[in-house]
Amino acid sequence: MELRQLLYFVTVVEEAGFTRAAERLHLAQPGLSSQIQRLERELGQSLLDRSGRSVTPTEVGRALLPHARAALAAAEGVRQVADEFGGLLRGRITVGVLSGVAAHEFDLAAVLAAFHEEHPRIEVALTEGSSDRMLAALQEGALDIALVGPAQEDPVPGVSFQVLVDEPLVAAVAPDHPLAGGTEAGRTEAGAAGAGTGTGAGTGAAAGAGGLPLEALRGLPVISLPRGTGTRGVLERACARAGFRPRVVFEAADPRFLAQLAGRGLGVAVVPRPAESVTAGSGLLLLPFAAPVPRARIVLAWRTAGPTGPAAAALLARLRTGLATGPA
């Protein structure tokens, strides 16, 4: 058994096919297939199911996958430690990024650019995905670091969090929506002066002085981020505690599109308190929820045991400092 065969196996699983895996590895597909078959013959087990449109690991393959990744990480760690003593730092780091995370106040691109300038030999591979999937990938070792929006307050087993963004959820509605109420008093149009003061939301008559009761969403068409996102999970858990399930009629990954749908009167968009640039000029009313206010977070996440090599450790340290909005 050779390390390169384990690398080929892991890559085929990650790419769900031989063609994309061969392109990523810069190999000819027949040669890649031949090496995988040699590995399967040596182990006496079929590792990949080739019968469907995409290639998936067999039961044996799934059991082997974490061990293959651990072996590759150990070999990379040996090389990186040797490089450290030689004054070099190189390697490949996989980072998961929540879709739309660049819209927040921290500048991920700037942090990565500065890191690349300091460590040009390190390759950083970025991938987008849902929070649920990226947290699972962290636990499995498929990702080194991730920016996710968790549905739960406490970290999942084996994963540590650093909170970067913590925002209340608000209900965004068109001015003529029943939740907006019949009076103009206390109501603030999104993107107007109130949004720039840090409050970011106005209150319609239906919301009352204490905010909009979550129960007010019962039976109403709701517009939300997709399942698997932290914000959707927070909404569903809050509604479950209130004794109902939200009737989600539209979902999309981009909060700006959710705001556009709400502006057309298609439902109540439940989103993190939007930045002024997202809702400016939309005419939407932002209604804060009554206590306990559901909150959406973006966190920097990594395996509690620590990164598998010095390259990932160096990037994690840079991200914890460069993305922090408060004390680390």
Side-chain angles (χ1 to χ4, degrees), residues 11 88 121 129 148 160 178 184 200 297:
T11 305
L88 300 174
R121 294 176 179 267
V148 298
S160 295
E184 294 296 324
R297 298 182 301 160

Side-chain angles (χ1 to χ4, degrees), residues 17-317:
F18 284 91
T19 300
R20 290 190 298 273
E23 292 173 353
R24 174 171 151 185
L25 293 166
H26 305 292
L27 295 173
Q29 184 173 332
L32 174 61
S33 299
S34 174
Q35 288 296 325
I36 296 292
Q37 289 169 358
R38 285 182 57 186
L39 177 62
E40 290 176 320
R41 285 196 299 270
E42 183 175 347
L43 295 175
Q45 298 286 347
S46 176
L47 303 179
L48 298 171
D49 182 354
R50 303 162 172 82
S51 61
R53 296 184 62 182
S54 61
V55 178
T56 58
T58 63
E59 183 178 0
V60 176
R62 287 193 297 271
L64 176 66
L65 191 59
H67 298 286
R69 285 178 169 141
L72 293 171
E76 179 66 16
V78 169
R79 185 171 64 83
Q80 290 183 356
V81 169
D83 287 344
E84 275 196 302
F85 280 95
L88 300 174
L89 191 59
R90 61 186 179 185
R92 187 175 191 270
I93 311 167
T94 54
V95 180
V97 180
L98 185 66
S99 179
V101 75
H104 287 271
E105 57 266 28
F106 47 77
D107 191 342
L108 176 61
V111 175
L112 293 177
F115 181 80
H116 176 70
E117 184 175 354
E118 185 176 344
H119 302 291
R121 294 176 179 267
I122 297 178
E123 177 188 354
V124 179
L126 294 179
T127 182
E128 286 192 340
S130 70
S131 294
D132 286 354
R133 290 182 179 179
M134 289 193 292
L135 285 172
L138 270 178
Q139 292 175 304
E140 295 169 359
L143 289 178
D144 295 302
I145 305 167
L147 286 165
V148 298
Q152 65 280 358
E153 293 186 5
D154 298 324
V156 298
V159 176
S160 295
F161 286 171
Q162 177 179 327
V163 178
L164 303 176
V165 175
D166 188 346
E167 298 175 337
L169 293 183
V170 297
V173 299
D176 58 353
H177 192 279
L179 290 183
T183 68
E184 294 296 324
R187 228 167 37 174
T188 304
E189 184 174 316
T197 63
T199 60
T203 304
L212 181 72
L214 197 65
E215 291 84 352
L217 299 181
R218 187 191 298 266
L220 293 180
V222 172
I223 304 168
S224 174
L225 295 172
R227 287 186 181 274
T229 60
T231 298
R232 177 67 170 270
V234 168
L235 170 64
E236 291 183 341
R237 289 187 179 202
C239 291
R241 288 193 295 268
F244 72 99
R245 294 180 61 184
R247 185 164 71 91
V248 177
V249 294
F250 291 102
E251 58 181 33
D254 188 347
R256 290 170 295 186
F257 185 49
L258 299 183
Q260 292 173 2
L261 293 172
R264 295 289 184 177
L266 297 176
V268 182
V270 179
V271 292
R273 186 178 62 202
E276 185 176 355
S277 60
V278 173
T279 55
S282 67
L284 286 175
L285 304 180
L286 306 183
L287 310 181
F289 286 108
V293 179
R295 305 187 69 86
R297 298 182 301 160
I298 294 177
V299 305
L300 181 66
W302 64 93
R303 285 187 296 280
T304 303
T308 56
L315 178 57
L316 176 60

